[in-house]
Amino acid sequence: MDLLHSNGVLIIQHLQRDYRAYQDFLNFMSHVGDPRNIFSIYFPLWFQLNQVVGTKMIWVAVIGDWFNLIFKWILFGHRPYWWVQETMIYPNHSSPCLEQFPITCETGPGSPSGHAMGSSCVWYVMVTAALSYTVRWKDKSAVTLHRLTWSFLWSIFWIIQISVCISRVFIATHFPHQVILGVFAGILVAEAFEHTPSIQTASLRMYIKTNLFLFIFALGFYLSLKLLDIDLLWSVPKAKKWCANPDWINIDTTPFAGLVRNLGALFGLGLGINSEMFITSCKGKNSCKISFRILCIAASLATLQLYNFVKIPTHTEYLFYILSFCKSAAMPLTVVALVPYCVHSLMRTTEKKLN
């Protein structure tokens, strides 16, 4: 493993030295791969266009990130920016110098990469959803167009995944093998949900049961290993010790922060889909109108950007987790129920005035 890490450090040094001109682009791609974009950008767009795809996207993102957390706890993967400071393989304490950035200091274990895993699973869902429309074409010219579309979309998929992986390695947050593992783990999770149609008809009870299972299993796994004197939060002190700037340490990157965020999103989706507002608006006659969907997309994206201005206090850890759960639940609830219902009511009022 030390050999794998040391070779990874050489790759990071090469990237930081020879790809300096692409620093802004690589930092941007790291943000593109941020799992939080799934809930604030990708989901609002797709849910209003296709509710089946939007629902699948949340399930894939949540379950994928949950597996990512469990894998991180099992694999105990180091991150480059602290590993080079603590390893004993370099003679005379001549450890390599790796540059750090404001987004470098992730506090959880490094393997597999959550950004790579989240990006690959969600983009896999989007690409397969887009191709499902073209695969039905039967005439010869349409088949040719489908093949061209297939090649184009999958090329875009791999360009994005490779860019996200390079960006995560460039900022010294991950070793190369960690991002590769993340990409293929994300694809496996997404492919599994291609054969799980039951999530589309899940009741609120099923959403609550799933949430409870994911939380109890993760917490039980953590407490069980803690009884064996295995600290699953071992990476947090390392991140605080070796991060170049203490202000770059964010509680939002801790393992339990991601778990709470995802459970909140899944609960909010279940609450929204099983609400009367969703049934009234998204199952009514206006739901088929292009104008309704465009207004819902615009209003959802605008409203969710306002959530970014809501800063959760971090001085009390448990309070942070509770408020983070509530904020994450509010986002899909807004997209699924509140915004469509408001747009539906507005359109109905306008139609009555015109009549």
Side-chain angles (χ1 to χ4, degrees):
M1 185 59 72
D2 282 343
L3 180 61
L4 195 61
H5 285 160
S6 60
N7 288 334
V9 168
L10 292 176
I11 294 174
I12 295 171
Q13 288 181 303
H14 169 70
L15 290 174
Q16 292 188 344
R17 181 181 65 250
D18 297 338
Y19 287 77
R20 174 64 56 191
Y22 303 100
Q23 176 181 328
D24 292 339
F25 170 75
L26 292 173
N27 285 335
F28 169 74
M29 290 308 300
S30 189
H31 286 294
V32 168
D34 192 330
R36 284 169 289 196
N37 289 333
I38 298 168
F39 309 114
S40 61
I41 298 176
Y42 304 140
F43 171 67
L45 284 170
W46 273 98
F47 188 83
Q48 306 302 347
L49 295 174
N50 189 315
Q51 293 169 9
V52 171
V53 177
T55 301
K56 185 193 300 181
M57 186 176 292
I58 291 291
W59 276 89
V60 165
V62 170
I63 301 301
D65 209 51
W66 183 82
F67 273 115
N68 182 264
L69 173 64
I70 301 300
F71 287 149
K72 283 180 184 293
W73 280 348
I74 293 173
L75 297 177
F76 281 78
H78 290 275
R79 294 186 185 271
Y81 75 91
W82 76 57
W83 181 83
V84 295
Q85 304 291 342
E86 298 190 342
T87 183
M88 303 298 292
I89 70 169
Y90 297 107
N92 302 322
H93 303 286
S94 57
S95 58
C97 180
L98 299 182
E99 185 174 355
Q100 297 183 24
F101 303 87
I103 55 177
T104 295
C105 299
E106 299 272 353
T107 56
S111 187
S113 167
H115 280 65
M117 191 168 175
S119 176
S120 65
C121 70
V122 169
W123 278 91
Y124 188 93
V125 169
M126 291 192 287
V127 169
T128 54
L131 290 175
S132 67
Y133 291 102
T134 62
V135 74
R136 304 167 190 164
W137 299 340
K138 300 299 182 182
D139 58 273
K140 188 175 180 179
S141 60
V143 170
T144 302
L145 181 58
H146 168 71
R147 290 174 179 171
L148 291 173
T149 304
W150 187 95
S151 299
F152 174 75
L153 290 179
W154 283 117
S155 296
I156 293 296
F157 172 85
W158 284 111
I159 289 172
I160 290 174
Q161 303 320 312
I162 291 172
S163 298
V164 170
C165 289
I166 292 175
S167 72
R168 301 302 289 171
V169 174
F170 174 84
I171 64 175
T173 296
H174 289 290
F175 291 102
H177 69 277
Q178 295 174 343
V179 293
I180 293 172
L181 179 60
V183 168
F184 286 102
I187 291 174
L188 287 176
V189 171
E191 180 59 29
F193 275 90
E194 291 293 318
H195 311 284
T196 314
S198 58
I199 59 174
Q200 302 298 334
T201 56
S203 63
L204 180 59
R205 182 188 296 270
M206 180 58 66
Y207 277 91
I208 294 175
K209 285 182 177 180
T210 303
N211 256 17
L212 288 174
F213 170 78
L214 296 178
F215 177 74
I216 292 172
F217 185 95
L219 183 62
F221 186 69
Y222 169 79
L223 294 176
S224 298
L225 291 183
K226 192 172 184 179
L227 290 174
L228 299 174
D229 288 330
I230 300 175
D231 183 13
L232 294 181
L233 300 181
W234 59 273
S235 60
V236 178
K238 291 183 181 292
K240 292 179 178 179
K241 180 179 180 180
W242 297 114
C243 184
N245 186 337
D247 293 335
W248 295 347
I249 296 290
N250 193 338
I251 191 176
D252 201 30
T253 65
T254 58
F256 277 111
L259 175 65
V260 169
R261 184 171 58 245
N262 287 309
L263 294 182
L266 188 62
F267 177 72
L269 176 66
L271 198 63
I273 284 181
N274 291 280
S275 67
E276 286 296 326
M277 287 188 292
F278 171 77
I279 296 172
T280 300
S281 55
C282 294
K283 296 296 183 181
K285 62 178 183 178
N286 283 331
S287 62
C288 298
K289 296 179 180 179
I290 299 297
S291 57
F292 173 79
R293 296 188 179 188
I294 292 175
L295 285 172
C296 285
I297 290 173
S300 296
L301 290 173
T303 304
L304 292 187
Q305 297 315 305
L306 297 178
Y307 281 93
N308 294 330
F309 295 101
V310 179
K311 301 301 180 184
I312 300 176
T314 59
H315 58 275
T316 304
E317 192 170 356
Y318 292 111
L319 178 62
F320 171 82
Y321 290 146
I322 293 171
L323 295 178
S324 180
F325 178 90
C326 295
K327 179 181 176 181
S328 299
M331 295 177 73
L333 181 62
T334 298
V335 173
V336 171
L338 296 178
V339 166
Y341 184 77
C342 291
V343 172
H344 168 76
S345 300
L346 180 63
M347 293 180 68
R348 187 174 58 180
T349 302
T350 303
E351 289 173 357
K352 286 182 179 180
K353 288 182 178 180
L354 292 176
N355 293 333

